[in-house]
Amino acid sequence: MQKIGILTGGADCPGLNSVIRAVVHKAMHEGYVVTGIKNGWMGLVENDMRIVDLRLISGILDRGGTILGTSRIIPPLKAEQTKIIEENFKRSGMDGVIAVGGEDTLKIGLDLYKRYAIPIVGVPKSIDNALSGTDYAFGFDTAVNVATECIDRLHTTAESHHRIMVIEVMGRYTGWIALEAGIAGGAHYICVPEFPVKIDDICDSLKERHKRGKTFSIVVTSEGAKIKGYTTPSTEENQHRRHHLGRVGELIANLIEDNTGYETRVSVLGHIQRGGAPTAYDRIIGTRFGFKSVEMVVNKKFGEMVSLRDNKIRSVRIEEAVRQHKAIDEDLYKLSQAFSG
Ligand code: F6P
């Protein structure tokens, strides 16, 4: 019997289970069994795998997280780990491995494909939406919806108390979540990593609003945003712990209060943006991605990643997807600025 392996690596996000479910269904139709590799690439290092059948995927479409578990590995893998993966892969009898993940997971997959000819197909996952080569990575829509709901809730309390509310969202080195949730939530100022700002610009814009009689404002900042002339405590820590950005919200809130005298609070949304049920859109995209990834294994399109372009499912070389981060849409950012001041 032919076998397809599937793993979910890096940060979890809503929609992973939708992909796993789709892969199992499509693989069955194609005459393959599916081997679930536990905890991302670590499952291949530790030879931790099991068959995933219809019984195991029953009822998982709307469940957040991943039934396979995940782990964070910052590439490159250690030489000894790569060797073990190569051996375990050979022994497993798998015809291809579907690696569902973001930049780190796909970089490892690309390396294993190029150096050891392990047949990898990538599926783009990232609440940050920062992968190139695809218009969309699943998980992002759910994160934006969760963040928007939180902004709505913080909006009403900011208004009642006549406060400035600074809301820090995830997104790592790109500002997609901040920009889209900020626009959807009616933010009065949005800070993103792609466009560093001066604290005076933020404060002037808030003062303008107050001159018009407004007594509260909403500032949404991406965890990776930069304020000119300042560093956040996490920027220094981050040299050692690459995934831990943040605390820029705290910096912005303190600076706003000091410079304007307006009472300011900060709310860091954190992992809440990655938990819970996926939106309908993420379930549908996850399902489409899962189907396509099996087709790619069947057609031996290895070293490639599923991609969405103009709402059509295609594929792209993984190399292209991980070369650089996909920055936010500049036009959308300009549009968002029309609501400042
Ligand atoms: O890449 C997804 C993401 O949620 C980023 O937005 C965030 O910076 C990072 O992962 C957090 O990682 P961890 O779950 O390891 O704290």
Side-chain angles (χ1 to χ4, degrees):
M1 190 82 172
Q2 291 182 292
K3 263 192 210 165
I4 293 182
I6 178 168
L7 63 84
T8 54
D12 73 336
C13 79
L16 286 164
N17 287 327
S18 315
V19 178
I20 298 168
R21 173 178 171 271
V23 164
V24 172
H25 278 278
K26 177 71 174 160
M28 259 180 55
H29 283 291
E30 299 290 343
Y32 286 77
V33 289
V34 175
T35 300
I37 301 164
K38 300 295 291 290
N39 303 323
W41 293 115
M42 279 320 286
L44 265 173
V45 175
E46 292 164 356
N47 209 17
D48 191 0
M49 305 182 230
R50 63 172 297 184
I51 298 296
V52 184
D53 55 14
L54 288 180
R55 197 181 46 82
L56 265 183
I57 57 159
S58 171
I60 66 169
L61 177 62
D62 60 345
R63 265 179 57 196
T66 161
I67 59 162
L68 293 176
T70 185
S71 60
R72 276 242 189 248
I73 303 181
I74 297 172
L77 281 170
K78 295 190 185 91
E80 60 272 22
Q81 289 178 319
T82 314
K83 184 104 203 58
I84 300 171
I85 286 183
E86 198 192 357
E87 283 162 16
N88 283 338
F89 171 76
K90 277 189 191 141
R91 214 173 304 132
S92 73
M94 293 186 287
D95 298 280
V97 175
I98 296 172
V100 189
E103 189 188 345
D104 293 341
T105 304
L106 294 174
K107 275 186 177 163
I108 292 173
L110 179 64
D111 190 50
L112 291 169
Y113 168 71
K114 279 170 104 177
R115 291 205 291 159
Y116 302 94
I118 297 184
I120 307 291
V121 163
V123 175
K125 166 245 55 157
S126 159
I127 65 158
D128 308 334
N129 200 27
L131 280 165
S132 294
T134 183
D135 293 343
Y136 187 76
F138 73 89
F140 174 64
D141 186 62
T142 308
V144 169
N145 275 282
V146 170
T148 303
E149 199 207 317
C150 293
I151 296 169
D152 289 347
R153 289 174 186 276
L154 293 163
H155 211 127
T156 58
T157 159
E159 194 166 2
S160 310
H161 285 270
H162 314 286
R163 286 172 174 158
I164 310 297
M165 192 65 78
V166 177
I167 301 148
E168 182 184 304
V169 298
M170 282 185 166
R172 215 186 288 183
Y173 309 116
T174 59
W176 286 98
I177 301 178
L179 183 59
E180 296 214 357
I183 292 173
H188 307 111
Y189 208 98
I190 299 175
C191 305
V192 293
E194 290 88 341
F195 297 98
V197 287
K198 288 198 207 120
I199 192 64
D200 288 350
D201 293 341
I202 303 176
C203 293
D204 289 349
S205 137
L206 300 182
K207 284 181 195 160
E208 278 304 308
R209 259 179 68 76
H210 277 233
K211 270 192 214 149
R212 289 193 285 115
K214 298 285 182 188
T215 59
F216 76 99
S217 294
I218 302 292
V219 176
V220 174
T221 179
S222 176
E223 63 183 349
K226 294 175 198 84
I227 304 301
K228 287 182 186 164
Y230 295 89
T231 51
T232 62
S234 77
T235 313
E236 288 138 35
E237 282 168 22
N238 202 36
Q239 289 165 359
H240 309 288
R241 302 167 75 204
R242 188 157 95 73
H243 291 290
H244 294 254
L245 288 180
R247 296 170 70 181
V248 67
E250 190 184 309
L251 172 74
I252 294 173
N254 288 338
L255 289 169
I256 289 175
E257 201 164 79
D258 290 351
N259 285 291
T260 63
Y262 304 147
E263 191 180 13
T264 307
R265 293 284 190 275
V266 59
S267 216
V268 180
L269 302 191
H271 293 82
I272 209 157
Q273 295 157 95
R274 294 219 314 248
T279 55
Y281 186 71
D282 275 332
R283 295 179 203 189
I284 294 165
I285 291 288
T287 302
R288 293 172 77 191
F289 280 4
F291 264 57
K292 176 72 174 178
S293 64
V294 173
E295 277 170 21
M296 287 166 66
V297 172
V298 173
N299 297 322
K300 301 195 184 323
K301 292 191 94 177
F302 300 124
E304 298 197 13
M305 180 188 86
V306 180
S307 123
L308 185 76
R309 285 283 192 217
D310 305 323
N311 205 25
K312 293 267 179 292
I313 307 283
R314 308 168 193 279
S315 69
V316 65
R317 285 190 309 133
I318 297 179
E319 215 149 17
E320 213 175 294
V322 299
R323 195 171 293 145
Q324 60 182 39
H325 296 133
K326 182 177 68 192
I328 53 164
D329 182 333
E330 218 164 300
D331 291 340
L332 198 58
Y333 180 67
K334 282 195 189 126
L335 176 154
S336 78
Q337 287 179 310
F339 298 93
S340 299

